[in-house]
Amino acid sequence: EKATTYEAGFKADFADRHVRFNGSFFQTDYDNLQVNAYNTLTLSNTITNAAKARYRGFELETTLRFAGFQVDGNVGYVDPKYKKYIYLISGVQTDVSSVSKFAYVSKWTYRIGGQYSFDAGNSGNFTLRADYSVKSSPPGYSVPAATPNYLQIATLGRDENLSARLIWKGE
């Protein structure tokens, strides 16, 4: 497996570092990518070789800070594609690149969070923090045409997470 990666991006702070905005655009070109796929002859998972693949996307993130408050978030997108993927289906070598998926890879990810920090004198410093994140529903299989239960589990479902915490830093 060989991967060649390209990335371009920027990082910017404004308003005396109260506003931050970062972004990156990336692409990875794969030769001989190793892929976990379903083997119809042995009825088990096996490692296959996807000859060529491209993984491309972007990520943007921002942070705003003011008077003890902070709001931050990001969004990410990835569009992976197989360029050439020869797979054995019913004993016939078939190029499945146009129908294959990157299993377990969500196209979209989002996160937003916020916190408030305050000094409580001799009791220390407290920070209240909450985050909400989402991942779009990824495919469950690399080569759907060769997976017997694909129609039952085509995707793994959207993933949402809400977390909150109280952080105490004593004196």
PDB file of all heavy atoms in Angstrom, residues 146-169:
ATOM      1  N   ALA A 146     -21.270  -7.649  -3.693  1.00  0.00           N
ATOM      2  CA  ALA A 146     -20.790  -8.966  -3.275  1.00  0.00           C
ATOM      3  C   ALA A 146     -21.133  -9.280  -1.822  1.00  0.00           C
ATOM      4  O   ALA A 146     -20.607 -10.229  -1.260  1.00  0.00           O
ATOM      5  CB  ALA A 146     -19.276  -9.035  -3.476  1.00  0.00           C
ATOM      6  N   THR A 147     -22.006  -8.509  -1.219  1.00  0.00           N
ATOM      7  CA  THR A 147     -22.329  -8.700   0.190  1.00  0.00           C
ATOM      8  C   THR A 147     -23.773  -9.183   0.314  1.00  0.00           C
ATOM      9  O   THR A 147     -24.696  -8.471  -0.076  1.00  0.00           O
ATOM     10  CB  THR A 147     -22.139  -7.375   0.952  1.00  0.00           C
ATOM     11  OG1 THR A 147     -20.818  -6.901   0.682  1.00  0.00           O
ATOM     12  CG2 THR A 147     -22.316  -7.578   2.429  1.00  0.00           C
ATOM     13  N   PRO A 148     -23.986 -10.386   0.839  1.00  0.00           N
ATOM     14  CA  PRO A 148     -25.331 -10.967   0.840  1.00  0.00           C
ATOM     15  C   PRO A 148     -26.362 -10.202   1.664  1.00  0.00           C
ATOM     16  O   PRO A 148     -27.528 -10.174   1.298  1.00  0.00           O
ATOM     17  CB  PRO A 148     -25.111 -12.373   1.413  1.00  0.00           C
ATOM     18  CG  PRO A 148     -23.801 -12.332   2.097  1.00  0.00           C
ATOM     19  CD  PRO A 148     -22.997 -11.250   1.442  1.00  0.00           C
ATOM     20  N   ASN A 149     -25.989  -9.590   2.759  1.00  0.00           N
ATOM     21  CA  ASN A 149     -26.976  -8.881   3.585  1.00  0.00           C
ATOM     22  C   ASN A 149     -26.894  -7.369   3.410  1.00  0.00           C
ATOM     23  O   ASN A 149     -27.291  -6.616   4.276  1.00  0.00           O
ATOM     24  CB  ASN A 149     -26.841  -9.270   5.052  1.00  0.00           C
ATOM     25  CG  ASN A 149     -25.483  -8.894   5.629  1.00  0.00           C
ATOM     26  OD1 ASN A 149     -24.555  -8.605   4.890  1.00  0.00           O
ATOM     27  ND2 ASN A 149     -25.378  -8.909   6.937  1.00  0.00           N
ATOM     28  N   TYR A 150     -26.407  -6.911   2.264  1.00  0.00           N
ATOM     29  CA  TYR A 150     -26.258  -5.487   2.015  1.00  0.00           C
ATOM     30  C   TYR A 150     -27.598  -4.741   2.127  1.00  0.00           C
ATOM     31  O   TYR A 150     -27.664  -3.654   2.661  1.00  0.00           O
ATOM     32  CB  TYR A 150     -25.643  -5.246   0.636  1.00  0.00           C
ATOM     33  CG  TYR A 150     -25.625  -3.788   0.242  1.00  0.00           C
ATOM     34  CD1 TYR A 150     -24.757  -2.907   0.879  1.00  0.00           C
ATOM     35  CD2 TYR A 150     -26.481  -3.283  -0.717  1.00  0.00           C
ATOM     36  CE1 TYR A 150     -24.740  -1.569   0.562  1.00  0.00           C
ATOM     37  CE2 TYR A 150     -26.469  -1.941  -1.048  1.00  0.00           C
ATOM     38  CZ  TYR A 150     -25.596  -1.096  -0.410  1.00  0.00           C
ATOM     39  OH  TYR A 150     -25.583   0.224  -0.721  1.00  0.00           O
ATOM     40  N   LEU A 151     -28.664  -5.323   1.630  1.00  0.00           N
ATOM     41  CA  LEU A 151     -29.961  -4.634   1.664  1.00  0.00           C
ATOM     42  C   LEU A 151     -30.469  -4.446   3.087  1.00  0.00           C
ATOM     43  O   LEU A 151     -31.208  -3.519   3.368  1.00  0.00           O
ATOM     44  CB  LEU A 151     -30.982  -5.384   0.822  1.00  0.00           C
ATOM     45  CG  LEU A 151     -30.672  -5.393  -0.678  1.00  0.00           C
ATOM     46  CD1 LEU A 151     -31.702  -6.229  -1.426  1.00  0.00           C
ATOM     47  CD2 LEU A 151     -30.615  -3.979  -1.236  1.00  0.00           C
ATOM     48  N   GLN A 152     -30.056  -5.310   4.014  1.00  0.00           N
ATOM     49  CA  GLN A 152     -30.470  -5.148   5.406  1.00  0.00           C
ATOM     50  C   GLN A 152     -29.633  -4.102   6.135  1.00  0.00           C
ATOM     51  O   GLN A 152     -30.119  -3.411   7.020  1.00  0.00           O
ATOM     52  CB  GLN A 152     -30.367  -6.473   6.169  1.00  0.00           C
ATOM     53  CG  GLN A 152     -31.428  -7.483   5.812  1.00  0.00           C
ATOM     54  CD  GLN A 152     -31.051  -8.289   4.582  1.00  0.00           C
ATOM     55  OE1 GLN A 152     -29.888  -8.389   4.225  1.00  0.00           O
ATOM     56  NE2 GLN A 152     -32.042  -8.852   3.921  1.00  0.00           N
ATOM     57  N   ILE A 153     -28.333  -3.998   5.802  1.00  0.00           N
ATOM     58  CA  ILE A 153     -27.430  -3.073   6.493  1.00  0.00           C
ATOM     59  C   ILE A 153     -26.614  -2.303   5.449  1.00  0.00           C
ATOM     60  O   ILE A 153     -25.412  -2.475   5.339  1.00  0.00           O
ATOM     61  CB  ILE A 153     -26.472  -3.819   7.454  1.00  0.00           C
ATOM     62  CG1 ILE A 153     -27.230  -4.802   8.327  1.00  0.00           C
ATOM     63  CG2 ILE A 153     -25.692  -2.833   8.305  1.00  0.00           C
ATOM     64  CD1 ILE A 153     -26.344  -5.693   9.163  1.00  0.00           C
ATOM     65  N   ALA A 154     -27.275  -1.458   4.676  1.00  0.00           N
ATOM     66  CA  ALA A 154     -26.562  -0.692   3.648  1.00  0.00           C
ATOM     67  C   ALA A 154     -25.673   0.373   4.275  1.00  0.00           C
ATOM     68  O   ALA A 154     -24.569   0.629   3.805  1.00  0.00           O
ATOM     69  CB  ALA A 154     -27.555  -0.055   2.694  1.00  0.00           C
ATOM     70  N   THR A 155     -26.177   1.007   5.317  1.00  0.00           N
ATOM     71  CA  THR A 155     -25.392   2.028   6.019  1.00  0.00           C
ATOM     72  C   THR A 155     -25.457   1.756   7.517  1.00  0.00           C
ATOM     73  O   THR A 155     -26.324   1.033   7.995  1.00  0.00           O
ATOM     74  CB  THR A 155     -25.915   3.448   5.725  1.00  0.00           C
ATOM     75  OG1 THR A 155     -27.261   3.538   6.178  1.00  0.00           O
ATOM     76  CG2 THR A 155     -25.831   3.776   4.241  1.00  0.00           C
ATOM     77  N   LEU A 156     -24.539   2.356   8.243  1.00  0.00           N
ATOM     78  CA  LEU A 156     -24.438   2.079   9.677  1.00  0.00           C
ATOM     79  C   LEU A 156     -25.230   3.054  10.541  1.00  0.00           C
ATOM     80  O   LEU A 156     -25.309   2.890  11.744  1.00  0.00           O
ATOM     81  CB  LEU A 156     -22.971   2.093  10.093  1.00  0.00           C
ATOM     82  CG  LEU A 156     -22.123   1.052   9.377  1.00  0.00           C
ATOM     83  CD1 LEU A 156     -20.677   1.176   9.789  1.00  0.00           C
ATOM     84  CD2 LEU A 156     -22.642  -0.345   9.634  1.00  0.00           C
ATOM     85  N   GLY A 157     -25.801   4.087   9.945  1.00  0.00           N
ATOM     86  CA  GLY A 157     -26.605   5.039  10.709  1.00  0.00           C
ATOM     87  C   GLY A 157     -25.827   6.262  11.143  1.00  0.00           C
ATOM     88  O   GLY A 157     -24.619   6.232  11.318  1.00  0.00           O
ATOM     89  N   ARG A 158     -26.557   7.325  11.292  1.00  0.00           N
ATOM     90  CA  ARG A 158     -25.990   8.602  11.716  1.00  0.00           C
ATOM     91  C   ARG A 158     -25.573   8.519  13.182  1.00  0.00           C
ATOM     92  O   ARG A 158     -26.256   7.896  13.992  1.00  0.00           O
ATOM     93  CB  ARG A 158     -27.069   9.666  11.505  1.00  0.00           C
ATOM     94  CG  ARG A 158     -26.713  11.048  11.902  1.00  0.00           C
ATOM     95  CD  ARG A 158     -27.897  11.937  11.552  1.00  0.00           C
ATOM     96  NE  ARG A 158     -27.927  13.100  12.367  1.00  0.00           N
ATOM     97  CZ  ARG A 158     -28.074  14.328  11.887  1.00  0.00           C
ATOM     98  NH1 ARG A 158     -28.228  14.508  10.605  1.00  0.00           N
ATOM     99  NH2 ARG A 158     -28.100  15.355  12.690  1.00  0.00           N
ATOM    100  N   ASP A 159     -24.466   9.149  13.515  1.00  0.00           N
ATOM    101  CA  ASP A 159     -23.945   9.124  14.877  1.00  0.00           C
ATOM    102  C   ASP A 159     -24.021  10.539  15.455  1.00  0.00           C
ATOM    103  O   ASP A 159     -23.454  11.468  14.885  1.00  0.00           O
ATOM    104  CB  ASP A 159     -22.498   8.628  14.860  1.00  0.00           C
ATOM    105  CG  ASP A 159     -21.884   8.506  16.240  1.00  0.00           C
ATOM    106  OD1 ASP A 159     -22.641   8.425  17.223  1.00  0.00           O
ATOM    107  OD2 ASP A 159     -20.647   8.502  16.334  1.00  0.00           O
ATOM    108  N   GLU A 160     -24.743  10.699  16.546  1.00  0.00           N
ATOM    109  CA  GLU A 160     -24.852  11.991  17.224  1.00  0.00           C
ATOM    110  C   GLU A 160     -24.384  11.822  18.665  1.00  0.00           C
ATOM    111  O   GLU A 160     -24.664  10.812  19.292  1.00  0.00           O
ATOM    112  CB  GLU A 160     -26.291  12.489  17.219  1.00  0.00           C
ATOM    113  CG  GLU A 160     -26.830  12.775  15.843  1.00  0.00           C
ATOM    114  CD  GLU A 160     -28.237  13.331  15.884  1.00  0.00           C
ATOM    115  OE1 GLU A 160     -28.446  14.362  16.568  1.00  0.00           O
ATOM    116  OE2 GLU A 160     -29.126  12.730  15.259  1.00  0.00           O
ATOM    117  N   ASN A 161     -23.701  12.836  19.169  1.00  0.00           N
ATOM    118  CA  ASN A 161     -23.176  12.761  20.524  1.00  0.00           C
ATOM    119  C   ASN A 161     -23.308  14.128  21.192  1.00  0.00           C
ATOM    120  O   ASN A 161     -22.886  15.133  20.638  1.00  0.00           O
ATOM    121  CB  ASN A 161     -21.706  12.333  20.484  1.00  0.00           C
ATOM    122  CG  ASN A 161     -21.133  12.073  21.853  1.00  0.00           C
ATOM    123  OD1 ASN A 161     -21.824  12.144  22.861  1.00  0.00           O
ATOM    124  ND2 ASN A 161     -19.851  11.779  21.901  1.00  0.00           N
ATOM    125  N   LEU A 162     -23.887  14.148  22.371  1.00  0.00           N
ATOM    126  CA  LEU A 162     -23.986  15.358  23.172  1.00  0.00           C
ATOM    127  C   LEU A 162     -23.258  15.081  24.481  1.00  0.00           C
ATOM    128  O   LEU A 162     -23.530  14.076  25.146  1.00  0.00           O
ATOM    129  CB  LEU A 162     -25.449  15.709  23.446  1.00  0.00           C
ATOM    130  CG  LEU A 162     -25.691  16.901  24.376  1.00  0.00           C
ATOM    131  CD1 LEU A 162     -25.144  18.191  23.768  1.00  0.00           C
ATOM    132  CD2 LEU A 162     -27.179  17.035  24.677  1.00  0.00           C
ATOM    133  N   SER A 163     -22.331  15.953  24.824  1.00  0.00           N
ATOM    134  CA  SER A 163     -21.612  15.769  26.085  1.00  0.00           C
ATOM    135  C   SER A 163     -21.553  17.088  26.834  1.00  0.00           C
ATOM    136  O   SER A 163     -21.541  18.159  26.229  1.00  0.00           O
ATOM    137  CB  SER A 163     -20.199  15.229  25.841  1.00  0.00           C
ATOM    138  OG  SER A 163     -19.418  16.194  25.162  1.00  0.00           O
ATOM    139  N   ALA A 164     -21.529  16.976  28.140  1.00  0.00           N
ATOM    140  CA  ALA A 164     -21.422  18.171  28.996  1.00  0.00           C
ATOM    141  C   ALA A 164     -20.545  17.787  30.185  1.00  0.00           C
ATOM    142  O   ALA A 164     -20.540  16.640  30.627  1.00  0.00           O
ATOM    143  CB  ALA A 164     -22.783  18.623  29.475  1.00  0.00           C
ATOM    144  N   ARG A 165     -19.801  18.768  30.666  1.00  0.00           N
ATOM    145  CA  ARG A 165     -18.942  18.489  31.814  1.00  0.00           C
ATOM    146  C   ARG A 165     -18.666  19.768  32.604  1.00  0.00           C
ATOM    147  O   ARG A 165     -18.745  20.875  32.083  1.00  0.00           O
ATOM    148  CB  ARG A 165     -17.649  17.833  31.370  1.00  0.00           C
ATOM    149  CG  ARG A 165     -16.844  18.607  30.364  1.00  0.00           C
ATOM    150  CD  ARG A 165     -15.826  17.687  29.693  1.00  0.00           C
ATOM    151  NE  ARG A 165     -15.208  18.270  28.542  1.00  0.00           N
ATOM    152  CZ  ARG A 165     -15.708  18.320  27.332  1.00  0.00           C
ATOM    153  NH1 ARG A 165     -16.884  17.800  27.099  1.00  0.00           N
ATOM    154  NH2 ARG A 165     -15.074  18.873  26.338  1.00  0.00           N
ATOM    155  N   LEU A 166     -18.308  19.546  33.835  1.00  0.00           N
ATOM    156  CA  LEU A 166     -17.879  20.612  34.726  1.00  0.00           C
ATOM    157  C   LEU A 166     -16.435  20.321  35.093  1.00  0.00           C
ATOM    158  O   LEU A 166     -16.128  19.222  35.561  1.00  0.00           O
ATOM    159  CB  LEU A 166     -18.758  20.667  35.980  1.00  0.00           C
ATOM    160  CG  LEU A 166     -18.309  21.631  37.073  1.00  0.00           C
ATOM    161  CD1 LEU A 166     -18.367  23.069  36.581  1.00  0.00           C
ATOM    162  CD2 LEU A 166     -19.156  21.449  38.324  1.00  0.00           C
ATOM    163  N   ILE A 167     -15.564  21.281  34.868  1.00  0.00           N
ATOM    164  CA  ILE A 167     -14.134  21.110  35.130  1.00  0.00           C
ATOM    165  C   ILE A 167     -13.758  22.038  36.292  1.00  0.00           C
ATOM    166  O   ILE A 167     -14.097  23.212  36.267  1.00  0.00           O
ATOM    167  CB  ILE A 167     -13.313  21.456  33.884  1.00  0.00           C
ATOM    168  CG1 ILE A 167     -13.773  20.608  32.695  1.00  0.00           C
ATOM    169  CG2 ILE A 167     -11.824  21.284  34.138  1.00  0.00           C
ATOM    170  CD1 ILE A 167     -13.360  21.134  31.352  1.00  0.00           C
ATOM    171  N   TRP A 168     -13.107  21.476  37.280  1.00  0.00           N
ATOM    172  CA  TRP A 168     -12.666  22.269  38.436  1.00  0.00           C
ATOM    173  C   TRP A 168     -11.144  22.211  38.508  1.00  0.00           C
ATOM    174  O   TRP A 168     -10.560  21.136  38.433  1.00  0.00           O
ATOM    175  CB  TRP A 168     -13.278  21.728  39.721  1.00  0.00           C
ATOM    176  CG  TRP A 168     -12.689  22.338  40.956  1.00  0.00           C
ATOM    177  CD1 TRP A 168     -12.798  23.631  41.364  1.00  0.00           C
ATOM    178  CD2 TRP A 168     -11.887  21.683  41.939  1.00  0.00           C
ATOM    179  NE1 TRP A 168     -12.139  23.820  42.555  1.00  0.00           N
ATOM    180  CE2 TRP A 168     -11.554  22.631  42.922  1.00  0.00           C
ATOM    181  CE3 TRP A 168     -11.443  20.376  42.073  1.00  0.00           C
ATOM    182  CZ2 TRP A 168     -10.785  22.311  44.028  1.00  0.00           C
ATOM    183  CZ3 TRP A 168     -10.677  20.065  43.184  1.00  0.00           C
ATOM    184  CH2 TRP A 168     -10.356  21.035  44.147  1.00  0.00           C
ATOM    185  N   LYS A 169     -10.548  23.364  38.641  1.00  0.00           N
ATOM    186  CA  LYS A 169      -9.100  23.463  38.805  1.00  0.00           C
ATOM    187  C   LYS A 169      -8.855  24.185  40.121  1.00  0.00           C
ATOM    188  O   LYS A 169      -9.112  25.377  40.238  1.00  0.00           O
ATOM    189  CB  LYS A 169      -8.482  24.227  37.639  1.00  0.00           C
ATOM    190  CG  LYS A 169      -6.991  24.208  37.613  1.00  0.00           C
ATOM    191  CD  LYS A 169      -6.468  24.874  36.334  1.00  0.00           C
ATOM    192  CE  LYS A 169      -4.982  24.815  36.272  1.00  0.00           C
ATOM    193  NZ  LYS A 169      -4.477  25.467  35.069  1.00  0.00           N
TER     194      LYS A 169
END
